[in-house]
Amino acid sequence: MKLVTVIRKELLGHVLTLRFAAGALFTLALFVAAGLVLRGDYADRVAAFREAEGTHRQALTSAKVYSELVVEADRPPAPLSVICQGVDRSLPTSSRFSILEAPTVSGAGATRNPLLAVLPTLDLTVVVQVVMSLLALVFAYDVVSGERARGTLALALANRLPRSTLLLGKYLGGMAVLLPLLVLGFGAALIVILSSPLVAFSLRDWTATGLVAAVAAAYLSLVFVLGMMISVVTRRPGTSLVAGLFAWVVLVLLAPQAASAAASALRPLPSERGRVLAEEQAGNEVWARLADYARAHPCPVAYPDQRLFNRERRSLYSGGIPFLSRLYSGPEEYVQWALAGLRFGLPLRLRAAESVQELRWRSLRAMSEQEGLARRLRMLSPAGLLYDAVATLSDTDAGRYLRFLAAVRAQRESLLELARADDGLDWRFFTRRAALEMPGLDELRALSDAGDAARLEAVLGRGFADEAAIDVSGLPAFRLPEAPVAERMARAGLDLGALIFANLALLLAAVVLFARSDVRAGGA
Amino acid sequence: MLRTLTRKEALAHLLSLRFNLAVALVVGLMVGGALLARGEYERQMDDYNAALAARQAAVADASASEGALFAVYSYLDQALMMRPTPLAFIAEGHQRDLPNAVEANAFRIQNVAVEQRGNPMMQRFGALDWSLVVSVVLSFAALVLTFDGFAGEKEDGTLRLVLANPVPRWMLVVSKLLGAWGVLMLGLAVGAILDLLILLPGGWLALDGGTLLRLAAAFALCGLYVALFVLLGLLVSARHGTPAAALVVSLLVWAVVAVVIPRSTVLVAHGVEKVQRQGEVARRAWQDAEAAQQEYLRLHPGGPDWFSGHWSPGESLDMAFAMWRAWQAPYDAWRAAQLRQVERARRLSFVSPAALLAAGLERVAGSGLTSYEQFLDAADRFREAMGEGLRARYPLDPANGYGRDQDADRRARAVRVSPAELPVFRPQSESAAGAVTAALGFGGALAALDLLLLLAAAVAAGRYDVR
């Protein structure tokens, strides 16, 4: 009963102030404005994703031989990047691979202006992180020291009101102002965002959004409790405000930056240059072995006897190395030679692609470990905790990107399987007619020497244009699996635990300190 | 008299806990920031030098190859890289997020990209540079030192005592300004000297005239900015009866001006300029290139009309130039629109002195948007110089291709290209004087605000009821 009275008094005390009116209006306006910008940005990225996906699916159905089958997988923007952008916008959005090439990544989420990265991000999470936390501090700094300075604290405690109840009432009263504001702001921003036809939340997204709101509430509560604790230990409201803002500057503005910077210094990334060189070396080794092979198995047809081939105007010259990517028809002996070379070379090139892929994973792992360290260091700051927990719950942290790359890797395995089942790693890698169907060298020479162009063309065929494209229906459509909320919760578990623990610990500390403090105005 | 008053103010601050806490934080952050910046600069320079060596090797290979003219000027896309600035510890200017690499040959520049700049998986929270330390921490300290300049002395009763002596009130304002500003700048100077002690050994940062000029300009900008908040504190203090009220008001102003406004710039960016999507630009570029080809063929009938994508033996040189010029134009317009969008948004944020300071420091340090703009300009100049070099060396009629003419082909392929004669790419190299001159505008704006606040503070102090 007493608690309710205290809460009501605190609530009214906050709501009737100018700082509440100004702060609330400003925060709501900021939420709505941020919502508008985020909605536009997300709609842009979804449109770009759909366009790219369509183009890439189309491109997949035009390959005539397996060497040309280039798969490009696109990463859809995370639906909850409208709440917390995380690294969703700055990481590559598409990955491209083929039978011979390990996946490479390209593109970035900013489809119109990459320079916008220069301006600080302002998503809903940042509004909570910076602006609402400031508001929480402004409400909290004088809850105790203000009343002590005015002399009302001693009066209040002259009644039969336990100190812990008074402090708890002040805490709940403050939260009763902040939380509705948070819900209102979040709600207004979400209404703005969801008004776009391109944004649709699934049940999973709604659950995650609810959790995000809960984390934001826990963060604001932490800042409020911190402000209240400072208010208990300082004697004058002015001192409370200075100390509170000092702590805010350090914990909210400086600590996350310092933690990220410290992580990059403590665990530097291996040189990208080194990886590129290692990749080049893997490729060069294969070419060296192919060149050795070619010396032992010289080409049976001399360059540039191009009349004996149908290569569709492309130069036949492959440096005498039997590794072709596209040939419609030619002398049987030549095709047999190229096929033998392919059977020797393709396993080597597949292994090289495998090792290139491994090198890229290693570099990714180093980046991911560095970010992991930064994340642990950022746990020292409530603002860091908030952002990391929300980014994980929204699936806009690096985890989504790693999942995308794993899915790409699996898709390349599917591609290899498809090719293997269809002789795509054999003669269909570079041609559409088995070697035995090709005309013999002597026959072609005779026709060529006789100058019988029409017969020659009939024997060599008209080219790939008449051939149907490779049937890729056996290749499963690329899909990036969304992370279930439970898994996100598990990944954010440490941050969530720390947030709750810090709340309880500080609240307890504030209660203990308040019980021991001198409530008289003036005092020592 | 002024000196006595100033000394009293300065001594009072120097001995206070709040000053020492703030300065410890400032100096600690500056030292940490310099250590990190040094490591970052070393890494970036390694990458830059490796890229430079790779580019030179590629040019040498192309020059030595058969048909060097085509290999060097057309087939090879030289990977140009922005040179990192050693002064990033003053203002990092989001260098990690700005594109720093571009590919260029005699015809076009393409693939403007961010390369080898740290960890893309890392959440970005900005850098620990002077810009952050001064705009947030030192300005906060300035308010904390001055909020009780008048209201506090009034409460203690000392204000009436001081004014009982023949001291004009404006002098009181000036002495309080000088006292607080002086000790804060002393803290900044200590941090700056420690920064130099960290950065000078190892030769990463050469203390030549240019660097000194840039450092001095950066220091001056910081000084003007800090003075602004000292004056704000005094003004608010002279307008309020109690120090507590003065503190609340001045800190709220600080929070909005130094923290919230600079972080909200992105909200206005989308309103000030519309920028096309990359896909739209790419489509437009190819359409324009094909139109240019048709136009060229209409004016020069009879020549070979094929185009392989790279200017190759037998193709008309002028046609390739015309096509690539048409291809380049939409991209140039696109990049210009991107720059305009961000620059206009930032200009709107100049209502906050913190944004003015950040922009001024970036200009002085040679980082940030301007450095990117200069890098693109330099790449474009390089492309132009390459184009001129190619025209000068091409031994045949540039207007018409020679098709399958074996003799012409032999002559075109026989041209030797020596890497030493090729144009040198000079990445953004604005002179120190130029950068400092450009930063004068920001300094001027801050100084004007200073004067305005000084006047306001003097008037407020003159009307202050000291009882």
Side-chain angles (χ1 to χ4, degrees), chain A residues 246-268:
Chain A
F246 195 78
W248 181 79
V249 165
V250 172
L251 292 177
V252 175
L253 296 186
L254 300 176
Q257 318 201 354
S260 302
S264 35
L266 289 174
R267 189 168 289 171

Side-chain angles (χ1 to χ4, degrees), chain B residues 101-124:
Chain B
V102 64
E103 289 176 3
N105 63 13
F107 299 91
R108 58 169 198 272
I109 60 176
Q110 62 170 5
N111 289 344
V112 178
V114 184
E115 264 186 26
Q116 300 179 351
R117 285 272 175 97
N119 186 347
M121 286 194 206
M122 186 99 98
Q123 293 286 1
R124 286 291 150 79

Side-chain angles (χ1 to χ4, degrees), chain B residues 121-161:
Chain B
M121 286 194 206
M122 186 99 98
Q123 293 286 1
R124 286 291 150 79
F125 287 98
L128 288 180
D129 49 16
W130 286 20
S131 183
L132 175 79
V133 173
V134 173
S135 77
V136 174
V137 186
L138 215 56
S139 61
F140 177 72
L143 291 181
V144 170
L145 289 193
T146 52
F147 77 95
D148 56 356
F150 286 94
E153 280 215 52
K154 172 177 161 180
E155 212 171 52
D156 297 344
T158 50
L159 193 57
R160 292 175 78 174
L161 283 178

Side-chain angles (χ1 to χ4, degrees), chain A residues 51 112-113 141 257 367 370, chain B residues 119 125 248 275 277 341:
Chain A
E51 190 186 321
R112 288 177 196 267
N113 191 353
Y141 81 94
Q257 318 201 354
M367 288 182 188
Q370 189 186 60
Chain B
N119 186 347
F125 287 98
V248 172
V275 179
R277 277 223 310 271
Q341 183 179 51

Side-chain angles (χ1 to χ4, degrees), chain A residues 129-210:
Chain A
Q129 188 186 26
V130 177
V131 181
M132 283 207 79
S133 70
L134 196 61
L135 211 57
L137 193 66
V138 168
F139 285 147
Y141 81 94
D142 61 351
V143 284
V144 177
S145 58
E147 282 215 49
R148 182 158 39 204
R150 287 194 298 274
T152 50
L153 190 58
L155 278 180
L157 289 174
N159 299 307
R160 290 172 47 184
L161 182 64
R163 289 190 178 196
S164 56
T165 310
L166 180 64
L167 200 66
L168 206 61
K170 284 179 174 297
Y171 165 69
L172 293 175
M175 294 311 288
V177 179
L178 284 171
L179 294 189
L181 200 55
L182 176 73
V183 171
L184 216 60
F186 238 73
L190 280 178
I191 288 173
V192 169
I193 289 164
L194 289 166
S195 67
S196 161
L198 286 172
V199 191
F201 273 17
S202 64
L203 181 64
R204 186 191 302 116
D205 296 328
W206 279 114
T207 319
T209 307

